[in-house]
Amino acid sequence: MKTVANLVLLVIAMVWVTPGHAADCKVDKPAADLTLEELDTLYECVRPDLIKGYQKKKKEKALAYTDWKAASTTPQAPGTHSGQYLMTYVNPVGFDQYIQYNTDSTEMPNGTIIAKEAFTITKKGKIKKGPLLFMERVGLEAAPKTGGWKYSGLKPNGKKLKVKAAGFCHACHQAWPHQNFMGYPVEAVRVKG
Ligand code: HEC
């Protein structure tokens, strides 16, 4: 009996550690019908593969952000950011302040880095990996055109993403001057501070 049990465990382990293609994480109903719980389960399946891709080129921030705390409880359903599901992480410099979700113009401390993972669910229920985007607080002197933030990103394969920080990223983020230009996750998925 013991061998059978061990065999079962082995098979489970093999399935578990087989290089997780995000494609393996299937969704069997329209993405819009997924509950937050179901999204959570899906995210658990997707995340290891997202991380593996982001870290492929061993970029410093990609290696670091997996130690940071999550500032959203569940990947946020698509709104902006091209219909992607987003999950936000903040480094220790700015985490406590970020999760106040201030709307009173409070500036984040210099050195804050916010990372945002992204993926999409196709109509057929497949997962497509999205970029890992960063906002790094460097102060107005260092980044006068982008509200004191440095915007950057990595592709799903870990390579640098070319971003138009002023013309694209900040052009949208400047909509939130009272939130120090941060968009914040929707209320339903905010972490309680
Ligand atoms: C069309 C509008 C729009 C554009 C363009 C845009 N963003 Fe965002 N971004 C948002 C919204 C809305 C949020 C909040 C939603 C969320 O994070 O779940 C957000 C959140 C973020 C966050 C998490 C911190 C926060 O709360 O704001 C980061 C990091 C980020 N964006 C980086 C970028 C980068 C880098 C670019 C350019 C490549 C970019 N964004 C372009 C709308 C935009």
Side-chain angles (χ1 to χ4, degrees):
M1 270 320 276
K2 210 164 168 219
T3 12
V4 174
N6 281 345
L7 195 67
V8 171
L9 274 181
L10 181 71
V11 171
I12 292 174
M14 276 166 62
V15 173
W16 200 251
V17 297
T18 302
H21 297 292
D24 296 343
C25 312
K26 272 216 127 202
V27 181
D28 53 10
K29 59 162 137 172
D33 294 346
L34 291 170
T35 62
L36 288 185
E37 259 175 19
E38 286 166 334
L39 265 177
D40 257 351
T41 310
L42 177 68
Y43 178 61
E44 268 172 41
C45 177
V46 172
R47 190 170 195 232
D49 201 33
L50 278 179
I51 291 176
K52 211 167 116 194
Y54 294 148
Q55 294 187 336
K56 243 183 197 150
K57 297 291 165 193
K58 303 209 178 341
K59 302 274 188 202
E60 197 185 331
K61 286 193 198 103
L63 295 176
Y65 93 96
T66 50
D67 289 336
W68 305 345
K69 284 199 265 183
S72 38
T73 55
T74 308
Q76 170 165 339
T80 39
H81 274 260
S82 323
Q84 292 169 331
Y85 289 80
L86 311 166
M87 191 67 188
T88 305
Y89 293 83
V90 185
N91 74 349
V93 178
F95 182 81
D96 288 346
Q97 191 168 323
Y98 185 87
I99 62 162
Q100 306 293 314
Y101 308 102
N102 280 319
T103 52
D104 58 2
S105 311
T106 319
E107 276 193 33
M108 295 296 287
N110 281 354
T112 297
I113 310 177
I114 311 169
K116 189 150 62 64
E117 301 171 336
F119 63 92
T120 40
I121 304 173
T122 67
K123 283 206 179 94
K124 288 189 174 157
K126 286 199 173 157
I127 307 299
K128 239 179 97 193
K129 296 190 246 180
L132 179 65
L133 298 183
F134 294 104
M135 284 172 75
E136 180 173 357
R137 188 76 200 161
V138 292
L140 269 175
E141 244 170 64
K145 287 188 188 148
T146 47
W149 288 98
K150 193 176 144 198
Y151 293 84
S152 65
L154 296 173
K155 296 181 195 172
N157 62 8
K159 288 189 183 162
K160 196 174 168 200
L161 182 77
K162 286 205 180 98
V163 306
K164 288 198 180 121
F168 179 64
C169 308
H170 196 64
C172 186
H173 276 256
Q174 70 180 358
W176 304 290
H178 302 301
Q179 300 180 174
N180 201 203
F181 307 114
M182 295 173 291
Y184 296 146
V186 292
E187 306 235 346
V189 301
R190 287 185 185 181
V191 168
K192 304 267 177 303

